[in-house]
Amino acid sequence: MLERTPEFWDAQAATFDEQPDHGLRDPAVRAAWAGVLLPLLPVAPSSVVDLGCGTGSLAVLLAGAGHAVLGVDLSAGMVAAAEAKARSAGVPAEFRRGDASHPPVPPASCDVVLARHVVWALPDPAATVGRWVRLLRPGGLLVLVEGRWKTGGGLTAAECQSLVLGHRRHAAVRPLPDPALWGGPIEDERYLVLSAS
């Protein structure tokens, strides 16, 4: 697990979007993420909470498709960047500073909980995933994008799936090897875990 302070992420905010899959500045990368995520979600408008949203790229993408999105991030710098991105895109996404481990979101209040590259860095991922599941309305969707990095960090798909199955009956793994998602070829395991119940 990797723990970082709000100050660490504040310092990253200015350059965070330089990674193709962070900023989604390349239309091809943005289209690839839209192609993965939008077909999974309920019909818009649905209520989506993006935990550990960073600079808000996925939140803005989903808000642009008509979903009601709340992004939560520990870093004030990331939240400020996300708010600016939403304004620039002309979408009504909302952003709030908060700890993804203990989201400032009422139980049973959303249709979708989304987290990208967050679970692997949590101090207690099993307990946190349980809290995330409790944010969902009945039939709500949990969408986790994670990876096992070539550096040795991260979680395998089996590990992430097991975390979800500790709290829900079903969790399907979908590999994400497409270079279009990442701005180029990858050498590690990247995937999505989807749980609808």
PDB file of all heavy atoms in Angstrom, residues 51-52 99-103 108 110 112-116 118-120 122 125-137 141-144 146:
ATOM      1  N   LEU A  51     -14.429   8.692  -6.524  1.00  0.00           N
ATOM      2  CA  LEU A  51     -13.608   8.810  -5.319  1.00  0.00           C
ATOM      3  C   LEU A  51     -12.124   8.807  -5.678  1.00  0.00           C
ATOM      4  O   LEU A  51     -11.667   7.974  -6.453  1.00  0.00           O
ATOM      5  CB  LEU A  51     -13.930   7.664  -4.365  1.00  0.00           C
ATOM      6  CG  LEU A  51     -15.381   7.664  -3.864  1.00  0.00           C
ATOM      7  CD1 LEU A  51     -15.676   6.403  -3.086  1.00  0.00           C
ATOM      8  CD2 LEU A  51     -15.651   8.907  -3.027  1.00  0.00           C
ATOM      9  N   GLY A  52     -11.398   9.759  -5.095  1.00  0.00           N
ATOM     10  CA  GLY A  52     -10.013   9.949  -5.486  1.00  0.00           C
ATOM     11  C   GLY A  52      -9.955  10.463  -6.909  1.00  0.00           C
ATOM     12  O   GLY A  52      -9.191   9.984  -7.739  1.00  0.00           O
ATOM     13  N   ASP A  99     -11.635  12.533   2.182  1.00  0.00           N
ATOM     14  CA  ASP A  99     -10.848  11.306   2.199  1.00  0.00           C
ATOM     15  C   ASP A  99     -11.638  10.192   1.520  1.00  0.00           C
ATOM     16  O   ASP A  99     -12.735   9.852   1.961  1.00  0.00           O
ATOM     17  CB  ASP A  99     -10.541  10.949   3.655  1.00  0.00           C
ATOM     18  CG  ASP A  99      -9.640   9.735   3.805  1.00  0.00           C
ATOM     19  OD1 ASP A  99      -9.373   9.043   2.806  1.00  0.00           O
ATOM     20  OD2 ASP A  99      -9.210   9.480   4.946  1.00  0.00           O
ATOM     21  N   ALA A 100     -11.079   9.612   0.474  1.00  0.00           N
ATOM     22  CA  ALA A 100     -11.765   8.520  -0.221  1.00  0.00           C
ATOM     23  C   ALA A 100     -12.010   7.329   0.697  1.00  0.00           C
ATOM     24  O   ALA A 100     -12.955   6.562   0.497  1.00  0.00           O
ATOM     25  CB  ALA A 100     -10.960   8.082  -1.434  1.00  0.00           C
ATOM     26  N   SER A 101     -11.190   7.172   1.734  1.00  0.00           N
ATOM     27  CA  SER A 101     -11.395   6.074   2.674  1.00  0.00           C
ATOM     28  C   SER A 101     -12.658   6.250   3.510  1.00  0.00           C
ATOM     29  O   SER A 101     -13.247   5.273   3.967  1.00  0.00           O
ATOM     30  CB  SER A 101     -10.193   5.953   3.625  1.00  0.00           C
ATOM     31  OG  SER A 101      -9.038   5.591   2.925  1.00  0.00           O
ATOM     32  N   HIS A 102     -13.027   7.501   3.741  1.00  0.00           N
ATOM     33  CA  HIS A 102     -14.227   7.845   4.516  1.00  0.00           C
ATOM     34  C   HIS A 102     -14.971   8.937   3.751  1.00  0.00           C
ATOM     35  O   HIS A 102     -14.950  10.099   4.141  1.00  0.00           O
ATOM     36  CB  HIS A 102     -13.842   8.324   5.916  1.00  0.00           C
ATOM     37  CG  HIS A 102     -13.149   7.278   6.727  1.00  0.00           C
ATOM     38  ND1 HIS A 102     -13.829   6.355   7.479  1.00  0.00           N
ATOM     39  CD2 HIS A 102     -11.828   7.000   6.877  1.00  0.00           C
ATOM     40  CE1 HIS A 102     -12.962   5.557   8.078  1.00  0.00           C
ATOM     41  NE2 HIS A 102     -11.748   5.917   7.729  1.00  0.00           N
ATOM     42  N   PRO A 103     -15.611   8.595   2.649  1.00  0.00           N
ATOM     43  CA  PRO A 103     -16.174   9.627   1.759  1.00  0.00           C
ATOM     44  C   PRO A 103     -17.252  10.466   2.449  1.00  0.00           C
ATOM     45  O   PRO A 103     -18.078   9.939   3.193  1.00  0.00           O
ATOM     46  CB  PRO A 103     -16.788   8.804   0.616  1.00  0.00           C
ATOM     47  CG  PRO A 103     -16.133   7.471   0.696  1.00  0.00           C
ATOM     48  CD  PRO A 103     -15.820   7.247   2.133  1.00  0.00           C
ATOM     49  N   ALA A 108     -26.317   4.904   0.846  1.00  0.00           N
ATOM     50  CA  ALA A 108     -27.433   4.623  -0.070  1.00  0.00           C
ATOM     51  C   ALA A 108     -27.888   5.865  -0.830  1.00  0.00           C
ATOM     52  O   ALA A 108     -29.076   6.094  -1.016  1.00  0.00           O
ATOM     53  CB  ALA A 108     -28.606   4.014   0.699  1.00  0.00           C
ATOM     54  N   CYS A 110     -26.197   6.992  -3.949  1.00  0.00           N
ATOM     55  CA  CYS A 110     -25.741   7.105  -5.339  1.00  0.00           C
ATOM     56  C   CYS A 110     -25.966   5.803  -6.098  1.00  0.00           C
ATOM     57  O   CYS A 110     -26.151   4.739  -5.513  1.00  0.00           O
ATOM     58  CB  CYS A 110     -24.284   7.545  -5.401  1.00  0.00           C
ATOM     59  SG  CYS A 110     -23.151   6.439  -4.580  1.00  0.00           S
ATOM     60  N   VAL A 112     -23.746   4.884  -8.696  1.00  0.00           N
ATOM     61  CA  VAL A 112     -22.438   4.375  -9.132  1.00  0.00           C
ATOM     62  C   VAL A 112     -21.359   4.932  -8.212  1.00  0.00           C
ATOM     63  O   VAL A 112     -21.330   6.135  -7.936  1.00  0.00           O
ATOM     64  CB  VAL A 112     -22.127   4.801 -10.588  1.00  0.00           C
ATOM     65  CG1 VAL A 112     -20.758   4.275 -11.027  1.00  0.00           C
ATOM     66  CG2 VAL A 112     -23.211   4.336 -11.547  1.00  0.00           C
ATOM     67  N   VAL A 113     -20.481   4.056  -7.755  1.00  0.00           N
ATOM     68  CA  VAL A 113     -19.234   4.469  -7.106  1.00  0.00           C
ATOM     69  C   VAL A 113     -18.104   4.074  -8.047  1.00  0.00           C
ATOM     70  O   VAL A 113     -17.978   2.901  -8.428  1.00  0.00           O
ATOM     71  CB  VAL A 113     -19.042   3.818  -5.728  1.00  0.00           C
ATOM     72  CG1 VAL A 113     -17.620   4.045  -5.217  1.00  0.00           C
ATOM     73  CG2 VAL A 113     -20.049   4.376  -4.732  1.00  0.00           C
ATOM     74  N   LEU A 114     -17.301   5.059  -8.427  1.00  0.00           N
ATOM     75  CA  LEU A 114     -16.176   4.869  -9.337  1.00  0.00           C
ATOM     76  C   LEU A 114     -14.890   5.261  -8.625  1.00  0.00           C
ATOM     77  O   LEU A 114     -14.852   6.294  -7.940  1.00  0.00           O
ATOM     78  CB  LEU A 114     -16.364   5.764 -10.579  1.00  0.00           C
ATOM     79  CG  LEU A 114     -15.170   5.936 -11.515  1.00  0.00           C
ATOM     80  CD1 LEU A 114     -14.855   4.636 -12.247  1.00  0.00           C
ATOM     81  CD2 LEU A 114     -15.453   7.060 -12.524  1.00  0.00           C
ATOM     82  N   ALA A 115     -13.862   4.448  -8.786  1.00  0.00           N
ATOM     83  CA  ALA A 115     -12.538   4.806  -8.281  1.00  0.00           C
ATOM     84  C   ALA A 115     -11.497   4.272  -9.253  1.00  0.00           C
ATOM     85  O   ALA A 115     -11.552   3.099  -9.635  1.00  0.00           O
ATOM     86  CB  ALA A 115     -12.309   4.246  -6.889  1.00  0.00           C
ATOM     87  N   ARG A 116     -10.589   5.146  -9.655  1.00  0.00           N
ATOM     88  CA  ARG A 116      -9.525   4.726 -10.574  1.00  0.00           C
ATOM     89  C   ARG A 116      -8.170   4.913  -9.905  1.00  0.00           C
ATOM     90  O   ARG A 116      -7.804   6.013  -9.507  1.00  0.00           O
ATOM     91  CB  ARG A 116      -9.583   5.531 -11.883  1.00  0.00           C
ATOM     92  CG  ARG A 116      -8.479   5.121 -12.861  1.00  0.00           C
ATOM     93  CD  ARG A 116      -8.610   5.761 -14.220  1.00  0.00           C
ATOM     94  NE  ARG A 116      -8.499   7.200 -14.184  1.00  0.00           N
ATOM     95  CZ  ARG A 116      -8.277   7.949 -15.264  1.00  0.00           C
ATOM     96  NH1 ARG A 116      -8.175   7.391 -16.452  1.00  0.00           N
ATOM     97  NH2 ARG A 116      -8.208   9.252 -15.159  1.00  0.00           N
ATOM     98  N   VAL A 118      -7.054   3.933  -6.993  1.00  0.00           N
ATOM     99  CA  VAL A 118      -7.182   4.390  -5.608  1.00  0.00           C
ATOM    100  C   VAL A 118      -7.041   3.231  -4.630  1.00  0.00           C
ATOM    101  O   VAL A 118      -6.353   3.344  -3.621  1.00  0.00           O
ATOM    102  CB  VAL A 118      -8.539   5.107  -5.396  1.00  0.00           C
ATOM    103  CG1 VAL A 118      -8.740   5.495  -3.938  1.00  0.00           C
ATOM    104  CG2 VAL A 118      -8.652   6.332  -6.290  1.00  0.00           C
ATOM    105  N   VAL A 119      -7.668   2.098  -4.935  1.00  0.00           N
ATOM    106  CA  VAL A 119      -7.729   0.986  -3.990  1.00  0.00           C
ATOM    107  C   VAL A 119      -6.331   0.542  -3.566  1.00  0.00           C
ATOM    108  O   VAL A 119      -6.065   0.300  -2.387  1.00  0.00           O
ATOM    109  CB  VAL A 119      -8.519  -0.202  -4.570  1.00  0.00           C
ATOM    110  CG1 VAL A 119      -8.494  -1.385  -3.613  1.00  0.00           C
ATOM    111  CG2 VAL A 119      -9.950   0.206  -4.869  1.00  0.00           C
ATOM    112  N   TRP A 120      -5.420   0.454  -4.508  1.00  0.00           N
ATOM    113  CA  TRP A 120      -4.083  -0.063  -4.208  1.00  0.00           C
ATOM    114  C   TRP A 120      -3.327   0.816  -3.210  1.00  0.00           C
ATOM    115  O   TRP A 120      -2.424   0.345  -2.516  1.00  0.00           O
ATOM    116  CB  TRP A 120      -3.268  -0.214  -5.491  1.00  0.00           C
ATOM    117  CG  TRP A 120      -2.722   1.072  -6.033  1.00  0.00           C
ATOM    118  CD1 TRP A 120      -3.409   2.020  -6.716  1.00  0.00           C
ATOM    119  CD2 TRP A 120      -1.385   1.535  -5.930  1.00  0.00           C
ATOM    120  NE1 TRP A 120      -2.577   3.061  -7.053  1.00  0.00           N
ATOM    121  CE2 TRP A 120      -1.323   2.784  -6.588  1.00  0.00           C
ATOM    122  CE3 TRP A 120      -0.218   1.019  -5.356  1.00  0.00           C
ATOM    123  CZ2 TRP A 120      -0.148   3.531  -6.683  1.00  0.00           C
ATOM    124  CZ3 TRP A 120       0.951   1.767  -5.452  1.00  0.00           C
ATOM    125  CH2 TRP A 120       0.976   3.006  -6.117  1.00  0.00           C
ATOM    126  N   LEU A 122      -4.778   2.501  -0.604  1.00  0.00           N
ATOM    127  CA  LEU A 122      -5.522   2.687   0.639  1.00  0.00           C
ATOM    128  C   LEU A 122      -4.845   1.969   1.803  1.00  0.00           C
ATOM    129  O   LEU A 122      -4.324   0.865   1.633  1.00  0.00           O
ATOM    130  CB  LEU A 122      -6.942   2.144   0.485  1.00  0.00           C
ATOM    131  CG  LEU A 122      -7.838   2.859  -0.525  1.00  0.00           C
ATOM    132  CD1 LEU A 122      -9.107   2.039  -0.751  1.00  0.00           C
ATOM    133  CD2 LEU A 122      -8.176   4.260  -0.045  1.00  0.00           C
ATOM    134  N   PRO A 125      -7.813  -1.342   2.498  1.00  0.00           N
ATOM    135  CA  PRO A 125      -8.703  -1.429   1.339  1.00  0.00           C
ATOM    136  C   PRO A 125      -9.956  -2.247   1.590  1.00  0.00           C
ATOM    137  O   PRO A 125     -11.018  -1.913   1.079  1.00  0.00           O
ATOM    138  CB  PRO A 125      -7.830  -2.050   0.252  1.00  0.00           C
ATOM    139  CG  PRO A 125      -6.669  -2.646   0.950  1.00  0.00           C
ATOM    140  CD  PRO A 125      -6.470  -1.886   2.213  1.00  0.00           C
ATOM    141  N   ALA A 126      -9.882  -3.314   2.372  1.00  0.00           N
ATOM    142  CA  ALA A 126     -11.067  -4.150   2.594  1.00  0.00           C
ATOM    143  C   ALA A 126     -12.162  -3.358   3.298  1.00  0.00           C
ATOM    144  O   ALA A 126     -13.329  -3.382   2.885  1.00  0.00           O
ATOM    145  CB  ALA A 126     -10.694  -5.387   3.406  1.00  0.00           C
ATOM    146  N   ALA A 127     -11.803  -2.637   4.350  1.00  0.00           N
ATOM    147  CA  ALA A 127     -12.800  -1.843   5.073  1.00  0.00           C
ATOM    148  C   ALA A 127     -13.333  -0.714   4.203  1.00  0.00           C
ATOM    149  O   ALA A 127     -14.530  -0.410   4.228  1.00  0.00           O
ATOM    150  CB  ALA A 127     -12.195  -1.280   6.357  1.00  0.00           C
ATOM    151  N   THR A 128     -12.450  -0.104   3.425  1.00  0.00           N
ATOM    152  CA  THR A 128     -12.874   1.016   2.583  1.00  0.00           C
ATOM    153  C   THR A 128     -13.841   0.567   1.497  1.00  0.00           C
ATOM    154  O   THR A 128     -14.863   1.225   1.250  1.00  0.00           O
ATOM    155  CB  THR A 128     -11.653   1.715   1.966  1.00  0.00           C
ATOM    156  OG1 THR A 128     -10.829   2.216   3.020  1.00  0.00           O
ATOM    157  CG2 THR A 128     -12.078   2.859   1.064  1.00  0.00           C
ATOM    158  N   VAL A 129     -13.557  -0.556   0.852  1.00  0.00           N
ATOM    159  CA  VAL A 129     -14.474  -1.056  -0.176  1.00  0.00           C
ATOM    160  C   VAL A 129     -15.848  -1.327   0.443  1.00  0.00           C
ATOM    161  O   VAL A 129     -16.883  -1.048  -0.168  1.00  0.00           O
ATOM    162  CB  VAL A 129     -13.896  -2.296  -0.883  1.00  0.00           C
ATOM    163  CG1 VAL A 129     -14.951  -2.984  -1.740  1.00  0.00           C
ATOM    164  CG2 VAL A 129     -12.695  -1.905  -1.741  1.00  0.00           C
ATOM    165  N   GLY A 130     -15.863  -1.815   1.667  1.00  0.00           N
ATOM    166  CA  GLY A 130     -17.140  -2.017   2.355  1.00  0.00           C
ATOM    167  C   GLY A 130     -17.896  -0.714   2.544  1.00  0.00           C
ATOM    168  O   GLY A 130     -19.117  -0.652   2.345  1.00  0.00           O
ATOM    169  N   ARG A 131     -17.182   0.344   2.907  1.00  0.00           N
ATOM    170  CA  ARG A 131     -17.835   1.662   3.046  1.00  0.00           C
ATOM    171  C   ARG A 131     -18.349   2.150   1.700  1.00  0.00           C
ATOM    172  O   ARG A 131     -19.429   2.738   1.613  1.00  0.00           O
ATOM    173  CB  ARG A 131     -16.860   2.666   3.664  1.00  0.00           C
ATOM    174  CG  ARG A 131     -16.640   2.460   5.155  1.00  0.00           C
ATOM    175  CD  ARG A 131     -15.858   3.598   5.784  1.00  0.00           C
ATOM    176  NE  ARG A 131     -14.448   3.548   5.481  1.00  0.00           N
ATOM    177  CZ  ARG A 131     -13.534   2.883   6.191  1.00  0.00           C
ATOM    178  NH1 ARG A 131     -13.901   2.189   7.263  1.00  0.00           N
ATOM    179  NH2 ARG A 131     -12.263   2.900   5.851  1.00  0.00           N
ATOM    180  N   TRP A 132     -17.585   1.920   0.644  1.00  0.00           N
ATOM    181  CA  TRP A 132     -18.019   2.348  -0.688  1.00  0.00           C
ATOM    182  C   TRP A 132     -19.297   1.629  -1.100  1.00  0.00           C
ATOM    183  O   TRP A 132     -20.210   2.244  -1.657  1.00  0.00           O
ATOM    184  CB  TRP A 132     -16.921   2.080  -1.708  1.00  0.00           C
ATOM    185  CG  TRP A 132     -15.705   2.944  -1.549  1.00  0.00           C
ATOM    186  CD1 TRP A 132     -15.528   3.968  -0.650  1.00  0.00           C
ATOM    187  CD2 TRP A 132     -14.501   2.848  -2.293  1.00  0.00           C
ATOM    188  NE1 TRP A 132     -14.278   4.508  -0.802  1.00  0.00           N
ATOM    189  CE2 TRP A 132     -13.624   3.848  -1.806  1.00  0.00           C
ATOM    190  CE3 TRP A 132     -14.065   2.020  -3.312  1.00  0.00           C
ATOM    191  CZ2 TRP A 132     -12.340   4.036  -2.317  1.00  0.00           C
ATOM    192  CZ3 TRP A 132     -12.793   2.201  -3.833  1.00  0.00           C
ATOM    193  CH2 TRP A 132     -11.943   3.204  -3.340  1.00  0.00           C
ATOM    194  N   VAL A 133     -19.375   0.330  -0.839  1.00  0.00           N
ATOM    195  CA  VAL A 133     -20.570  -0.436  -1.195  1.00  0.00           C
ATOM    196  C   VAL A 133     -21.799   0.130  -0.485  1.00  0.00           C
ATOM    197  O   VAL A 133     -22.894   0.212  -1.062  1.00  0.00           O
ATOM    198  CB  VAL A 133     -20.354  -1.931  -0.869  1.00  0.00           C
ATOM    199  CG1 VAL A 133     -21.670  -2.704  -0.894  1.00  0.00           C
ATOM    200  CG2 VAL A 133     -19.346  -2.544  -1.836  1.00  0.00           C
ATOM    201  N   ARG A 134     -21.626   0.577   0.748  1.00  0.00           N
ATOM    202  CA  ARG A 134     -22.755   1.115   1.505  1.00  0.00           C
ATOM    203  C   ARG A 134     -23.229   2.475   0.996  1.00  0.00           C
ATOM    204  O   ARG A 134     -24.320   2.924   1.353  1.00  0.00           O
ATOM    205  CB  ARG A 134     -22.399   1.189   2.998  1.00  0.00           C
ATOM    206  CG  ARG A 134     -22.294  -0.201   3.624  1.00  0.00           C
ATOM    207  CD  ARG A 134     -22.187  -0.149   5.132  1.00  0.00           C
ATOM    208  NE  ARG A 134     -20.917   0.378   5.611  1.00  0.00           N
ATOM    209  CZ  ARG A 134     -19.802  -0.344   5.751  1.00  0.00           C
ATOM    210  NH1 ARG A 134     -19.789  -1.634   5.427  1.00  0.00           N
ATOM    211  NH2 ARG A 134     -18.716   0.211   6.224  1.00  0.00           N
ATOM    212  N   LEU A 135     -22.445   3.119   0.161  1.00  0.00           N
ATOM    213  CA  LEU A 135     -22.888   4.382  -0.445  1.00  0.00           C
ATOM    214  C   LEU A 135     -23.926   4.146  -1.541  1.00  0.00           C
ATOM    215  O   LEU A 135     -24.657   5.067  -1.920  1.00  0.00           O
ATOM    216  CB  LEU A 135     -21.705   5.137  -1.064  1.00  0.00           C
ATOM    217  CG  LEU A 135     -20.549   5.515  -0.149  1.00  0.00           C
ATOM    218  CD1 LEU A 135     -19.479   6.249  -0.946  1.00  0.00           C
ATOM    219  CD2 LEU A 135     -21.023   6.353   1.019  1.00  0.00           C
ATOM    220  N   LEU A 136     -23.982   2.913  -2.055  1.00  0.00           N
ATOM    221  CA  LEU A 136     -24.819   2.611  -3.220  1.00  0.00           C
ATOM    222  C   LEU A 136     -26.264   2.358  -2.843  1.00  0.00           C
ATOM    223  O   LEU A 136     -26.554   1.730  -1.821  1.00  0.00           O
ATOM    224  CB  LEU A 136     -24.260   1.386  -3.940  1.00  0.00           C
ATOM    225  CG  LEU A 136     -22.908   1.579  -4.619  1.00  0.00           C
ATOM    226  CD1 LEU A 136     -22.312   0.231  -4.991  1.00  0.00           C
ATOM    227  CD2 LEU A 136     -23.054   2.467  -5.843  1.00  0.00           C
ATOM    228  N   ARG A 137     -27.149   2.815  -3.702  1.00  0.00           N
ATOM    229  CA  ARG A 137     -28.554   2.416  -3.606  1.00  0.00           C
ATOM    230  C   ARG A 137     -28.684   0.946  -3.999  1.00  0.00           C
ATOM    231  O   ARG A 137     -27.771   0.394  -4.639  1.00  0.00           O
ATOM    232  CB  ARG A 137     -29.390   3.275  -4.552  1.00  0.00           C
ATOM    233  CG  ARG A 137     -29.369   4.762  -4.212  1.00  0.00           C
ATOM    234  CD  ARG A 137     -30.277   5.560  -5.135  1.00  0.00           C
ATOM    235  NE  ARG A 137     -30.260   6.962  -4.779  1.00  0.00           N
ATOM    236  CZ  ARG A 137     -29.753   7.942  -5.533  1.00  0.00           C
ATOM    237  NH1 ARG A 137     -29.260   7.668  -6.727  1.00  0.00           N
ATOM    238  NH2 ARG A 137     -29.773   9.190  -5.104  1.00  0.00           N
ATOM    239  N   LEU A 141     -23.907   0.242  -8.738  1.00  0.00           N
ATOM    240  CA  LEU A 141     -22.767  -0.295  -9.474  1.00  0.00           C
ATOM    241  C   LEU A 141     -21.462   0.209  -8.868  1.00  0.00           C
ATOM    242  O   LEU A 141     -21.279   1.415  -8.679  1.00  0.00           O
ATOM    243  CB  LEU A 141     -22.878   0.167 -10.929  1.00  0.00           C
ATOM    244  CG  LEU A 141     -21.969  -0.442 -11.972  1.00  0.00           C
ATOM    245  CD1 LEU A 141     -22.294  -1.915 -12.163  1.00  0.00           C
ATOM    246  CD2 LEU A 141     -22.139   0.313 -13.288  1.00  0.00           C
ATOM    247  N   LEU A 142     -20.547  -0.722  -8.586  1.00  0.00           N
ATOM    248  CA  LEU A 142     -19.196  -0.393  -8.137  1.00  0.00           C
ATOM    249  C   LEU A 142     -18.248  -0.624  -9.304  1.00  0.00           C
ATOM    250  O   LEU A 142     -18.226  -1.716  -9.879  1.00  0.00           O
ATOM    251  CB  LEU A 142     -18.814  -1.275  -6.952  1.00  0.00           C
ATOM    252  CG  LEU A 142     -17.420  -1.068  -6.358  1.00  0.00           C
ATOM    253  CD1 LEU A 142     -17.303   0.308  -5.705  1.00  0.00           C
ATOM    254  CD2 LEU A 142     -17.109  -2.167  -5.337  1.00  0.00           C
ATOM    255  N   VAL A 143     -17.478   0.416  -9.667  1.00  0.00           N
ATOM    256  CA  VAL A 143     -16.550   0.339 -10.797  1.00  0.00           C
ATOM    257  C   VAL A 143     -15.162   0.723 -10.298  1.00  0.00           C
ATOM    258  O   VAL A 143     -14.927   1.873  -9.904  1.00  0.00           O
ATOM    259  CB  VAL A 143     -16.967   1.288 -11.939  1.00  0.00           C
ATOM    260  CG1 VAL A 143     -16.013   1.150 -13.123  1.00  0.00           C
ATOM    261  CG2 VAL A 143     -18.408   1.043 -12.365  1.00  0.00           C
ATOM    262  N   LEU A 144     -14.244  -0.246 -10.303  1.00  0.00           N
ATOM    263  CA  LEU A 144     -12.878  -0.012  -9.844  1.00  0.00           C
ATOM    264  C   LEU A 144     -11.906  -0.245 -10.988  1.00  0.00           C
ATOM    265  O   LEU A 144     -11.903  -1.331 -11.589  1.00  0.00           O
ATOM    266  CB  LEU A 144     -12.534  -0.960  -8.689  1.00  0.00           C
ATOM    267  CG  LEU A 144     -13.477  -0.943  -7.485  1.00  0.00           C
ATOM    268  CD1 LEU A 144     -13.032  -1.962  -6.454  1.00  0.00           C
ATOM    269  CD2 LEU A 144     -13.567   0.451  -6.880  1.00  0.00           C
ATOM    270  N   GLU A 146      -8.009  -0.554 -11.679  1.00  0.00           N
ATOM    271  CA  GLU A 146      -6.782  -0.750 -10.905  1.00  0.00           C
ATOM    272  C   GLU A 146      -5.709  -1.408 -11.769  1.00  0.00           C
ATOM    273  O   GLU A 146      -5.921  -1.638 -12.961  1.00  0.00           O
ATOM    274  CB  GLU A 146      -7.070  -1.610  -9.669  1.00  0.00           C
ATOM    275  CG  GLU A 146      -7.870  -0.905  -8.594  1.00  0.00           C
ATOM    276  CD  GLU A 146      -7.126   0.266  -7.955  1.00  0.00           C
ATOM    277  OE1 GLU A 146      -5.871   0.235  -7.860  1.00  0.00           O
ATOM    278  OE2 GLU A 146      -7.803   1.225  -7.538  1.00  0.00           O
TER     279      GLU A 146
END
